[in-house]
Amino acid sequence: DKGSWVECLNNWAKTVITGRARLGGIPMGVICPETRSVECEDPADPANLDTETKLTQQAGQVWFPDSAYKTAQAIKDFNREELPLIIFANWRGFSGGMRDMYGEILKYGAYIVDGLVEYKQPVFVYIPPFGELRGGAWVVVDPKINPDVMEMYADKDSRGGVLEPEGTVAVQFKQRDLVQTMKRIDPLYNELFLKN
C-alpha cells in the first residue's frame, strides 16, 4: 500500500533490500535484490596501523556472504513477527570467489534455507517481469523447501533455471564416455557399431 514501505537493515549488505510493507492492508515482510552494483566498504582494522579502508564493488542480483546473511536474518525476524513474506526473486546466484568461500557464503545460503524451512506464515516467491532466478539462488527459494507455506509465481517474461543455457550446452562428455553412453542407451547406434 502506498506509503507503508519501511526499509530495515538498510546500511548493511546493500545487494539485498529488506523491509516491511502492507499489501491490501495486510502487513508483509519483503525481500528483494538490488539490481545495480553497489560499493562495499571494508573498514580498516583499528588494531593494525598497516590496514586501510577498502572499497569493493558488489554486483547487483548476486548474494554475497553479507547479503545472504542479511536475507537469512530478515527471514528469521519476519517469521518471529508472524508476517507473511514476499520474495521478489531476481537473483543470478551466489558469489563464488575464493574470498566469498572464506566469507562462508555456503553457510549463509544454508541459513536462508533453514529460515524458510521453519517459516510458519505464507511465503510468496515472485520472479518479476524480465527477472531471472538462476543457480543456487533458485535452490534456496524453491517452494519444495516448505511446500505447506511456500508458493512460486513467475511473470511470463521472466526466466529461471539452475544452469544458464551456456552452462547446459557446455556440459560435455569425454569422447570415450560419450561413445560408451551411446552404446548403452541407443540400440540403433549399438547395432551399427557392431556391424563395423
Side-chain angles (χ1 to χ4, degrees):
D1 298 349
K2 187 174 182 177
S4 68
W5 170 251
V6 177
E7 188 172 353
C8 61
L9 306 170
N10 56 333
N11 286 323
W12 170 50
K14 295 180 182 179
T15 60
V16 170
I17 301 165
T18 60
R20 293 161 183 80
R22 290 185 180 274
L23 181 64
I26 299 170
M28 306 271 297
V30 180
I31 298 173
C32 63
E34 172 61 73
T35 57
R36 302 167 292 184
S37 291
V38 297
E39 199 168 72
C40 180
E41 183 178 320
D42 295 325
D45 182 354
N48 184 349
L49 298 176
D50 294 333
T51 62
E52 297 178 359
T53 298
K54 295 179 186 173
L55 295 177
T56 56
Q57 291 291 317
Q58 289 184 334
Q61 298 176 279
V62 176
W63 265 313
F64 291 89
D66 59 346
S67 54
Y69 185 51
K70 177 180 176 178
T71 302
Q73 185 63 51
I75 291 169
K76 184 177 178 181
D77 293 344
F78 298 149
N79 191 31
R80 191 173 26 244
E81 295 170 27
E82 298 182 353
L83 292 175
L85 173 62
I86 185 163
I87 300 172
F88 291 95
N90 188 11
W91 281 282
R92 293 181 288 145
F94 286 88
S95 59
M98 262 324 239
R99 183 174 47 145
D100 298 321
M101 291 298 172
Y102 286 120
E104 301 183 289
I105 185 66
L106 299 176
K107 176 172 98 174
Y108 297 126
Y111 283 178
I112 295 170
V113 174
D114 292 345
L116 291 172
V117 165
E118 295 169 1
Y119 217 85
K120 304 291 186 231
Q121 305 302 315
V123 177
F124 305 99
V125 180
Y126 175 63
I127 308 173
F130 307 105
E132 54 187 335
L133 185 59
R134 298 194 317 226
W138 181 289
V139 174
V140 299
V141 297
D142 191 313
K144 292 178 184 168
I145 290 171
N146 190 347
D148 293 335
V149 301
M150 291 181 72
E151 296 178 5
M152 182 180 280
Y153 301 92
D155 185 86
K156 64 182 179 63
D157 292 320
S158 64
R159 300 183 309 165
V162 176
L163 283 177
E164 295 180 44
E166 296 82 15
T168 305
V169 171
V171 174
Q172 297 178 2
F173 282 99
K174 292 182 179 174
Q175 184 66 31
R176 70 176 188 277
D177 295 333
L178 181 60
V179 170
Q180 286 177 348
T181 303
M182 290 167 58
K183 285 181 195 175
R184 190 180 76 243
I185 64 173
D186 187 348
L188 179 60
Y189 177 83
N190 201 20
E191 185 181 312
L192 293 171
F193 181 80
L194 293 173
K195 286 183 180 177
N196 289 335

